[in-house]
């Protein structure tokens, strides 16, 4: 098992298609297929159901995806920490949003953010409130735009390994 295979699995699930995942990762569709097949062989069971409408996780794949996302998240955090030690600021922030926020609020906010943090990549995931809440709960995104009446529950506290500090997910108010 390797990080590359986890990244490929995550992309396939994110895009719902082997071909779209391959395009997003700048690799061939064949490479994506081989990586998924290899991961399935290593696991000893199928991770994806393939069909005309795309791919969907099997029940076993659902159980594994959370772990692969956590591994990828912790790898990202470690790489960010290494970069900070070296004096650089890098990373990826995944934001769950809906179309009106993406078109009305975020362009100006992201432009300002990128000026101050050029090494941080921003990935936007557009969906409805239920999808955004699901992505937050599943760890697919780092933050999301929801209405004040929505509730978010997180699986557990995040503990920063270097400082030992705990961060609880709660309410964030943007003005």
């Amino acid at each position: 098992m390797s990080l590359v295979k986890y990244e490929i699995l995550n992309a396939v699930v994110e895009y719902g298609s082997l071909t779209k995942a391959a395009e997003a990762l700048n690799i061939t569709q064949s490479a994506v297929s081989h990586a998924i097949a290899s991961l399935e062989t290593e696991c000893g069971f199928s991770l994806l159901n393939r069909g005309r409408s795309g791919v969907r996780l099997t029940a076993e794949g659902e159980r594994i995806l959370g772990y692969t996302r956590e591994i990828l998240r912790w790898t990202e955090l470690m790489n960010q920490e290494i970069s900070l030690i070296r004096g650089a600021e890098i990373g990826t922030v995944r934001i769950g949003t809906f179309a009106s926020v993406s078109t009305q609020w975020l362009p100006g906010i992201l432009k300002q953010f990128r000026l101050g943090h050029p090494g941080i990549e921003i990935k936007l995931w557009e969906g409805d409130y239920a999808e955004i809440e699901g992505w937050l709960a599943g760890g697919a995104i780092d933050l999301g735009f929801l209405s004040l009446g929505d509730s978010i529950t997180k699986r557990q506290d995040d503990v920063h390994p270097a400082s030992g500090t705990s961060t609880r997910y709660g309410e964030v108010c943007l003005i």
Side-chain angles (χ1 to χ4, degrees):
M1 294 190 197
S2 72
L3 290 174
V4 171
K5 291 176 189 174
Y6 296 158
E7 289 170 348
I8 290 171
L9 175 63
N10 193 52
V12 169
V13 172
E14 179 181 338
Y15 292 101
S17 156
L18 299 175
T19 303
K20 289 179 184 175
E23 291 170 2
L25 296 170
N26 285 327
I27 59 177
T28 65
Q29 191 270 336
S30 177
V32 169
S33 293
H34 286 294
I36 296 297
S38 174
L39 190 56
E40 289 176 327
T41 299
E42 291 171 18
C43 290
F45 49 81
S46 294
L47 298 169
L48 300 171
N49 288 320
R50 295 148 179 91
R52 289 186 179 161
S53 61
V55 295
R56 289 193 126 29
L57 284 169
T58 62
E60 296 83 3
E62 288 278 352
R63 291 173 62 181
I64 297 302
L65 183 65
Y67 293 109
T68 61
R69 283 185 170 160
E70 281 297 306
I71 290 167
L72 292 171
R73 188 174 73 82
W74 281 106
T75 301
E76 173 77 13
L77 289 172
M78 183 180 66
N79 287 334
Q80 289 174 14
E81 191 68 26
I82 289 168
S83 293
L84 285 173
I85 291 168
R86 291 180 177 164
E89 184 180 48
I90 64 161
T92 302
V93 176
R94 293 161 200 76
I95 302 172
T97 183
F98 36 95
S100 61
V101 171
S102 295
T103 58
Q104 300 297 317
W105 291 4
L106 288 180
I109 294 169
L110 294 179
K111 182 178 179 181
Q112 285 298 113
F113 181 84
R114 285 186 180 115
L115 290 173
H117 308 280
I120 305 294
E121 178 185 11
I122 303 292
K123 291 188 176 182
L124 298 179
W125 290 42
E126 284 193 7
D128 60 30
Y129 289 113
E131 288 175 311
I132 293 169
E133 186 169 356
W135 294 332
L136 279 168
I141 59 174
D142 301 304
L143 61 104
F145 287 86
L146 297 169
S147 71
L148 291 176
D150 293 329
S151 64
I152 303 169
T153 55
K154 185 67 177 165
R155 295 181 311 254
Q156 63 188 26
D157 287 353
D158 277 343
V159 177
H160 189 278
S163 66
T165 59
S166 176
T167 304
R168 277 199 134 344
Y169 289 83
E171 295 178 5
V172 176
C173 182
L174 296 175
I175 298 174

